Each structure stands twice: as C-alpha cells, then as structure tokens.
Amino acid sequence: MKLVRFGEPGAEKPGLIDGDGTLRDLSGEIADIIGATLDDDTLARLRGLDPASLPAVSGDPRIGPCVGSIGKFLCIGLNYSDHAAETGAKIPDHPILFFKANSAVVGPNDTVSMPRGSTHTDWEVELGVVIGKTAKYVSEADALDHVAGYCVINDVSERHFQSQLSGQWTKGKSCDTFGPTGPWLVTRDEVPDPQNLDMWLDVNGERRQTGNTKTMIFTVAQIIEHLSGLMTLHPGDVISTGTPPGVALGMENPVYLKVGDRMDVWIEGLGQQTQTVAEDA
C-alpha cells in the first residue's frame, strides 16, 4: 500500500495510490497519515478497502511529506561501506547518530532553498524508515515488526556548516527544506527486503549516485535495535539510514549545488522526488 499526503503545506489530506496509479482521497477514513494512524490495525483496515470506493483526486495537487507531525527525525551517518570509502572515513563501530530538525521537512517535489552563505550544499539519497509501533529495547529479530513503512529521503547537507561551524553535524543538516520526504509511504508488507533496494540520484540529468541498500554497514533492523536501546522510538518517528557513494563531498574536485540545479531522486519501489534549488528568501 502506497500512502500519500496531498495539498498545500499545513493543509495536507491523506490519500493512497491505487494499482493504476490514481491518487485516492482517504480523508473519509483517517484524519491524516501520522503516528496515531500508523499502527498495524489501522493499516490493515486501510489495506482492506476497495480503492475504487474512494474518491479520485482531480488535477495535479502538491504532494506533501508522506508522514505528518513527525516526532523524531533521526539520521545515520557513514552507513554505506562504499560511501565511507569515497570520503576516506573509518568504518564506525556503532551507528553514527545525528538529528535533523523537523522544520527541515518538506514535500518530495518542493523547492530546496540554498541557505545564505552556503558554498557546499550537497545531496544524499537515503532510505527512510517510518516507525509504526513503539520500540524500546527491541531485538534485531523483532525490529522490522515495529516499522510502518519506507520512503525516499534526500538528506540535503551543507558541508561547511556541518564540519566547520563547530559543534555537531546537525548544523549542516537542519537548514529549512533540507529534508524532502516521500512521495509515498510504502507499507512494510510491500518491501519484503529493505536490504536489497536500488537507489539513484541525478543532478541536472547527470547520474551522481548509484547504490543499493545491501552495502549498508548497519541494517535497518540493527539500527532500530541500537536506537531503541538508547531511546524509545514512537510511531511517526523517521529514521534516515545513510547514503551510498556519489556525493559531492566524495569527488576529487567537488562540484556542489547552485541555484537553478535540479535533483532527481529514486529508490526502487518507493517512488521519485524532483527538487529545484532556489535562493533562500
């Protein structure tokens, strides 16, 4: 099941994409796609609906972030062996954790704003994991049972802010619009193996990133086990699980994003994002 939120920012409605690719309105069934509606019982009820019985959405509405009212936005750094190699980083012994501010979250096709003073804004296609059931001290074996579904995330990053402004990575990860999320939340029953998904990112039509989640250092299940041993994960929390090689930071002669650039971002079975970079207001 592909769940989606559509409409203007702050006024999104819940929907689903049917087998023919038609957007259907779910607002008669649930108020929104948020933590409170991501439990297994609610998802099972929605899965049992006949999509043809739901109103088709006309026109071409904006697609919002696929999860509303995100609780925690947790991110894992240096989690692909081939990405660590391109940046010359040591393989970590445990998942590297940082947070992205929720105010960075935007829809998958919304404009990405270049922060004032930015010279090193970079791209990162990442697999997003959305928690659907409270997780505390869960085992690796049981971890995926706590997942509602998966989505595409572009972990946009300002590298100078990240590494040169003192403090933690969060400074370079949390600028407004630096968290495009969606287009769909694909429920876990449609993603039998999150450790074998192809992923790509293009800049201005040129392929920059090509990867597969099989090169993750820490799997989705291992990440959930680790994080749930540190803090309780709640429904609606989002985990961004790291990026494969091909970021600007890893280039011999880095070429970072500039105003007017276009990013196209895909993960197998999870949909596509497209963002244009604009100057921040």
Side-chain angles (χ1 to χ4, degrees):
M1 185 166 54
K2 296 180 175 66
L3 300 176
V4 66
R5 300 171 70 248
F6 63 96
E8 293 306 304
E12 292 94 345
K13 293 182 178 181
L16 63 78
I17 305 297
D18 70 16
D20 295 325
T22 299
L23 173 58
R24 300 281 179 171
D25 190 343
L26 270 178
S27 57
E29 301 292 334
I30 55 173
D32 202 352
I33 299 168
I34 56 175
T37 57
L38 293 176
D39 60 280
D40 285 347
D41 289 344
T42 299
L43 294 180
R45 179 173 65 82
L46 296 179
R47 198 175 293 113
L49 297 173
D50 177 6
S53 69
L54 301 169
V57 178
S58 60
D60 186 23
R62 167 188 174 267
I63 301 300
C66 59
V67 182
S69 302
I70 291 173
K72 297 185 286 294
F73 199 134
L74 306 112
C75 302
I76 307 300
L78 292 174
N79 193 36
Y80 281 68
S81 56
D82 37 8
H83 172 54
E86 75 169 343
T87 60
K90 176 182 178 293
I91 297 294
D93 296 324
H94 307 282
I96 294 173
L97 173 65
F98 62 92
F99 287 81
K100 187 182 283 282
N102 292 2
S103 55
V105 177
V106 290
N109 305 317
D110 288 345
T111 298
V112 166
S113 297
M114 185 78 73
R116 292 181 183 178
S118 170
T119 56
H120 293 73
T121 296
D122 206 346
W123 53 84
E124 293 190 9
V125 56
E126 304 205 1
L127 172 66
V129 179
V130 180
I131 299 298
K133 182 168 65 174
T134 300
K136 184 173 184 177
Y137 299 126
V138 301
S139 67
E140 180 182 347
D142 295 333
L144 296 187
D145 293 338
H146 295 74
V147 173
Y150 303 90
C151 63
V152 182
I153 292 174
N154 186 359
D155 176 22
V156 185
S157 309
E158 215 299 340
R159 303 300 190 185
H160 179 78
F161 295 3
Q162 177 181 345
S163 61
Q164 301 300 318
L165 294 189
S166 302
Q168 299 179 337
W169 289 3
T170 299
K171 289 185 177 182
K173 299 286 190 171
S174 293
C175 303
D176 293 348
T177 74
F178 273 23
T181 301
W184 313 314
L185 172 61
V186 180
T187 51
R188 71 173 187 268
D189 58 297
E190 293 196 10
V191 186
D193 184 6
Q195 300 309 143
N196 189 23
L197 299 174
D198 289 326
M199 52 208 309
W200 309 268
L201 186 146
D202 291 357
V203 178
N204 298 328
E206 183 177 349
R207 184 60 41 88
R208 295 296 190 186
Q209 289 187 272
T210 301
N212 186 288
T213 55
K214 66 186 177 184
T215 69
M216 279 186 182
I217 297 166
F218 303 102
T219 67
V220 171
Q222 290 168 339
I223 290 168
I224 292 172
E225 178 185 47
H226 181 73
L227 294 181
S228 72
L230 303 173
M231 67 193 79
T232 301
L233 303 178
H234 295 100
D237 287 350
V238 173
I239 306 169
S240 199
T241 56
T243 198
V247 298
L249 180 66
M251 296 178 179
E252 183 175 351
N253 297 298
V255 178
Y256 291 99
L257 291 169
K258 63 184 184 302
V259 171
D261 283 348
R262 167 179 166 145
M263 292 177 283
D264 292 290
V265 190
W266 304 264
I267 296 181
E268 178 186 358
L270 303 185
Q272 178 179 348
Q273 304 181 347
T274 298
Q275 300 107 29
T276 300
V277 180
E279 187 172 356
D280 201 6

